């Protein structure tokens, strides 16, 4: 079983289709590498993060 957690800026989820598209794309990526059985047994969690809580290059982005 594959378990994937991915974090994105909260604003990505303004598009109501983003979550479904991302889950589908990540599941397909697992399938392309590990095979269809692995894709069918993949769990994905999407996290929504405020830019003010995301650090990059030693600084908060928000």
């Amino acid at each position: 079983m594959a378990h994937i957690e991915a974090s994105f800026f909260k604003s990505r989820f303004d598009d109501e289709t983003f979550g479904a598209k991302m889950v589908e794309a990540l599941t397909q990526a697992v399938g392309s590498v590990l095979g269809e059985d692995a894709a069918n047994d993949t769990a994905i969690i999407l996290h929504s993060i405020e830019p003010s809580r995301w650090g990059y290059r030693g600084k908060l982005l928000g």
Side-chain angles (χ1 to χ4, degrees), residues 32-62:
S32 72
V33 174
L34 300 176
E36 191 65 26
D37 287 342
N40 290 332
D41 199 25
T42 295
I44 297 172
I45 298 172
L46 303 178
H47 297 281
S48 172
I49 308 292
E50 291 285 348
S52 63
R53 300 196 53 144
W54 192 296
Y56 182 69
R57 295 185 177 175
K59 299 190 187 295
L60 289 175
L61 296 179

